[in-house]
């Protein structure tokens, strides 16, 4: 299931974040790659402990905590602190699958990567290439969103970033451990949640809303990993 989260940041906010990131010092992106990923990864990254990375990462988490679509789609239990990367001059990241479990630097905390996220900070027309290509049941799907928009997709997905041949692609990327491990179950819960919200708008007070809400929570109770 691929979910687009629109306007986590407004265009103006995304442009200001991009300006600050452009002025930062970047390092080789292989610092956070696993063995297999390092073979196909060519980009740059803001160091995990960089003050700007931590400041902007906290800002991203604050925004997402108030985003109903994100919370309903991800049902997050743990979120890996957001990282930031940059592609330009032909840099790319070949096909790979993200590590199943990632440790948070400086802590004993580990996050199972049920979901992956990419939050774009470059406008699509400012660079050529750089599409995030995700393989799913319908085949490869290319994603290139406006600055401030985010895509959420299963951590089990085979994916890549195409070479950037003009301009620079700057984004944040991170992972979530969901309360519900299985993507198919999360998809059903999201579909039901959206339907309940629409019923509340179109037929407020209808007895079926209470019944469906009960079914939603009983399914979540059955599937939740807490």
């Amino acid at each position: 299931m691929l979910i687009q989260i629109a306007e986590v940041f407004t265009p103006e906010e995304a442009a200001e974040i991009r300006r600050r990131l452009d002025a930062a010092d970047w390092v080789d992106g292989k610092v956070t790659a696993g063995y297999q990923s390092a073979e196909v990864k060519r980009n740059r990254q803001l160091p995990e402990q960089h003050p700007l990375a931590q400041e902007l990462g906290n800002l991203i988490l604050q925004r997402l905590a108030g985003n109903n679509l994100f919370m309903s789609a991800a049902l997050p239990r743990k979120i890996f602190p957001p990282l930031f990367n940059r592609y330009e001059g032909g840099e790319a990241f070949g096909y790979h699958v993200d590590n199943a479990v990632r440790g948070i630097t400086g802590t004993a905390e580990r996050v199972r990567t049920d979901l992956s996220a990419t939050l774009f900070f470059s406008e699509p027309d400012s660079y050529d290439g750089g599409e995030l290509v995700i393989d799913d049941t319908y085949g490869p799907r290319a994603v290139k969103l406006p600055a401030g928009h985010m895509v959420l997709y299963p951590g089990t997905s085979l994916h890549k970033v195409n070479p950037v041949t003009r301009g620079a692609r700057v984004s944040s990327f991170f992972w979530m451990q969901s309360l519900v491990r299985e993507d198919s179950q999360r998809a059903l819960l999201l579909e039901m949640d959206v339907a309940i919200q629409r019923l509340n708008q179109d037929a407020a007070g209808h007895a079926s809303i209470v019944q469906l809400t009960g079914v939603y929570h009983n399914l979540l109770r059955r599937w939740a990993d807490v």
Side-chain angles (χ1 to χ4, degrees):
M1 178 177 63
L2 273 64
I3 301 292
Q4 179 179 336
I5 312 291
E7 290 198 349
V8 177
F9 295 98
T10 67
E12 295 76 19
E13 290 171 331
E16 174 60 18
I17 291 172
R18 167 68 188 273
R19 184 192 66 77
R20 297 183 67 191
L21 288 170
D22 281 345
D25 294 324
W26 299 78
V27 299
D28 192 322
K30 291 183 180 180
V31 295
T32 57
Y35 175 79
Q36 179 263 333
S37 295
E39 297 296 312
V40 294
K41 186 176 187 180
R42 291 186 296 112
N43 67 3
R44 280 166 291 162
Q45 191 167 305
L46 206 59
E48 290 184 61
Q49 301 304 312
H50 194 292
L52 182 60
Q54 295 183 337
E55 176 192 343
L56 295 180
N58 287 333
L59 181 58
I60 290 169
L61 296 182
Q62 289 171 15
R63 285 297 174 90
L64 292 177
N67 188 293
N68 290 335
L69 177 56
F70 169 78
M71 296 301 291
S72 183
L75 295 169
R77 181 183 182 190
K78 300 178 186 178
I79 302 180
F80 191 93
L83 303 173
F84 298 84
N85 60 17
R86 182 183 187 95
Y87 295 81
E88 59 186 326
E91 291 175 325
F93 197 164
Y95 268 124
H96 64 285
V97 174
D98 293 330
N99 290 352
V101 178
R102 300 194 69 101
I104 299 177
T105 301
T107 76
E109 192 77 13
R110 294 189 175 193
V111 176
R112 188 183 66 231
T113 58
D114 298 325
L115 290 149
S116 300
T118 296
L119 174 55
F120 293 81
F121 288 113
S122 299
E123 293 295 352
D125 61 0
S126 70
Y127 63 101
D128 292 337
E131 297 86 359
L132 172 64
V133 180
I134 304 164
D135 279 9
D136 67 8
T137 54
Y138 299 99
R141 299 177 64 181
V143 181
K144 189 174 183 179
L145 300 180
H149 292 227
M150 187 178 88
V151 63
L152 191 65
Y153 59 98
T156 55
S157 302
L158 188 67
H159 60 284
K160 67 176 179 176
V161 176
N162 285 335
V164 174
T165 56
R166 176 185 67 87
R169 175 195 190 270
V170 178
S171 63
S172 176
F173 64 103
F174 50 101
W175 304 272
M176 286 131 278
Q177 179 171 329
S178 178
L179 289 168
V180 176
R181 184 191 299 246
E182 292 296 327
D183 181 60
S184 60
Q185 294 172 345
R186 288 194 305 272
L188 286 172
L189 287 168
L190 175 61
E191 187 175 355
M192 181 172 287
D193 193 15
V194 170
I196 291 169
Q197 291 178 41
R198 287 175 180 164
L199 274 174
N200 271 314
Q201 294 174 355
D202 299 338
H206 195 287
S208 294
I209 295 174
V210 175
Q211 184 178 12
L212 287 172
T213 301
V215 172
Y216 173 90
H217 284 286
N218 285 332
L219 286 173
L220 181 57
R221 185 177 291 109
R222 175 182 291 269
W223 292 336
D225 177 17
V226 295

